[in-house]
């Protein structure tokens, strides 16, 4: 079967990674969570004391970018690839509300984006890849055969993210999660470099009222139609 590139973009907590993982498993494709890469750089900046609530030393982070090595390793027990920063598994550390509160500032830096986009393009060069993020269909793979743009209401998304964080055992308040979702949407879609926007050929999926199963089936159908078109 012809291998294609599937680009999934959309607002935060729209379930991009859930459906991307399902597709990758079903199709035997590689899944790349590009948000995890921006989170990894943010986590590095936090660890090095370069970013906090008062201050962000962008120049120092840019200077230290060559010291940041991000990789993915497939965890067969979990069924997906976990993210590593300089050889350390940081999959759990990057999913906190604290990282979410800083990540959009880090993702707005052009030098950070250049480094990560280059790595993402290499990871997807052989096709057979499902990549999710904010600029996959517009910047990373503008020639992707299938582009999806996921949306859902901010309340639906904040509820999903809140439940995930509570399940992990994090001590969070719903209002803070909602605020983070709204702020990130704004920052990610208004930044100068590669803002989040729907690629013109992207198919919009609003999953506010959709079950995971219905969503998967609908998207799989789109994938199959696309593959047929390219065969
Ligand atoms: O998908 P996520 O919520 O884990 O992404 C975290 C942040 O990273 C998101 O708010 C914006 C940034 N991001 C980006 O700028 N470009 C991408 N391709 C992926 C994520």
């Amino acid at each position: 079967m012809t291998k294609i590139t599937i680009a999934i973009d959309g607002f935060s907590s729209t379930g991009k990674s859930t459906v991307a993982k399902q597709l990758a498993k079903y199709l035997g494709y590689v899944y790349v969570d590009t948000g995890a890469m921006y989170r990894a750089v943010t986590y590095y900046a936090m660890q090095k004391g370069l970013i906090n609530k008062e201050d962000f030393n962008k120049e120092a982070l840019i200077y230290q970018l060559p010291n940041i090595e991000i990789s993915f390793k497939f965890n067969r027990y979990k069924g997906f690839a976990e993210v590593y920063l300089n050889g350390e598994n940081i999959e759990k550390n990057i999913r906190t509300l604290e990282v979410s509160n800083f990540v959009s500032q880090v993702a707005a830096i052009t030098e950070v984006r250049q480094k990560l986009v280059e790595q993402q393009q290499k990871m997807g060069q052989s096709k057979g890849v499902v990549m999710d993020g904010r600029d996959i269909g517009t910047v990373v793979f503008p020639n992707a055969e299938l582009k999806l743009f996921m949306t859902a209401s901010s309340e639906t998304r904040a509820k999903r993210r809140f439940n995930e964080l509570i399940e992990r055992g994090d001590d969070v308040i719903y209002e803070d999660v909602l605020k983070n979702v709204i702020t990130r949407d704004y920052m990610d879609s208004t930044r100068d470099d590669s803002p989040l926007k729907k690629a013109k050929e992207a198919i919009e999926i609003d999953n506010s009222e959709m079950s995971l199963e219905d969503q998967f089936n609908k998207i799989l159908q789109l994938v199959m139609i696309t593959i047929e078109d390219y065969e």
Side-chain angles (χ1 to χ4, degrees):
M1 201 158 48
T2 306
K3 289 201 177 224
I4 62 166
T5 299
I6 306 171
I8 308 183
D9 289 304
F11 295 104
S12 58
S13 308
T14 38
K16 300 183 295 293
S17 66
T18 305
V19 73
K21 278 180 202 157
Q22 288 173 321
L23 286 176
K25 191 168 176 196
Y26 186 89
L27 298 164
Y29 278 22
V30 171
Y31 163 55
V32 182
D33 173 357
T34 64
M37 300 171 75
Y38 290 93
R39 286 173 180 272
V41 177
T42 306
Y43 182 69
Y44 175 93
M46 287 163 65
Q47 293 292 95
K48 298 282 177 192
L50 304 177
I51 193 166
N52 57 46
K53 277 189 187 146
E54 284 80 44
D55 204 34
F56 179 19
N57 190 343
K58 283 185 203 172
E59 292 69 32
L61 179 61
I62 294 168
Y63 183 75
Q64 292 182 37
L65 280 177
N67 304 337
I68 300 179
E69 200 239 329
I70 298 167
S71 54
F72 289 93
K73 226 181 269 171
F74 191 76
N75 179 330
R76 61 194 170 97
Y77 301 105
K78 294 196 177 154
F80 64 92
E82 295 182 310
V83 65
Y84 285 69
L85 171 65
N86 295 333
E88 184 198 346
N89 184 333
I90 54 157
E91 183 61 36
K92 234 180 148 211
N93 315 54
I94 59 164
R95 309 284 170 195
T96 62
L97 186 55
E98 208 189 353
V99 172
S100 300
N101 282 336
F102 292 132
V103 67
S104 293
Q105 289 180 70
V106 172
I109 300 175
T110 294
E111 289 82 351
V112 171
R113 304 203 69 82
Q114 279 168 346
K115 177 184 169 92
L116 300 189
V117 167
E118 194 187 320
Q119 187 177 348
Q120 290 154 12
Q121 287 172 334
K122 274 192 198 137
M123 288 192 280
Q125 67 192 359
S126 320
K127 295 196 179 281
V129 67
V130 191
M131 201 172 278
D132 79 345
R134 304 293 188 286
D135 59 344
I136 311 306
T138 51
V139 175
V140 183
F141 291 118
N143 298 324
E145 289 82 359
L146 179 62
K147 299 181 186 182
L148 303 172
F149 190 84
M150 314 274 289
T151 64
S153 73
S154 10
E155 287 75 17
T156 305
R157 294 185 283 122
K159 266 182 221 145
R160 286 179 192 155
R161 185 48 67 104
F162 174 72
N163 291 338
E164 264 171 39
L165 291 167
I166 291 292
E167 248 168 58
R168 277 168 40 115
D170 288 7
D171 184 17
V172 288
I173 301 168
Y174 170 74
E175 284 69 27
D176 288 344
V177 177
L178 178 63
K179 194 170 142 211
N180 173 261
V181 162
I182 294 171
T183 310
R184 256 187 323 134
D185 286 354
Y186 177 75
M187 290 177 75
D188 296 342
S189 41
T190 55
R191 67 182 176 221
D192 291 335
D193 192 343
S194 320
L196 166 66
K197 60 172 191 259
K198 182 176 166 290
K200 64 175 186 317
E201 331 74 85
I203 299 166
E204 188 166 327
I205 312 265
D206 183 334
N207 60 21
S208 306
E209 306 289 334
M210 232 185 249
S211 72
L212 283 182
E213 197 186 348
D214 287 349
Q215 169 175 270
F216 176 66
N217 289 333
K218 184 184 164 94
I219 294 178
L220 185 61
Q221 207 180 356
L222 294 172
V223 171
M224 291 309 178
I225 293 169
T226 309
I227 291 176
E228 266 170 36
D229 279 353
Y230 281 88
E231 269 179 348

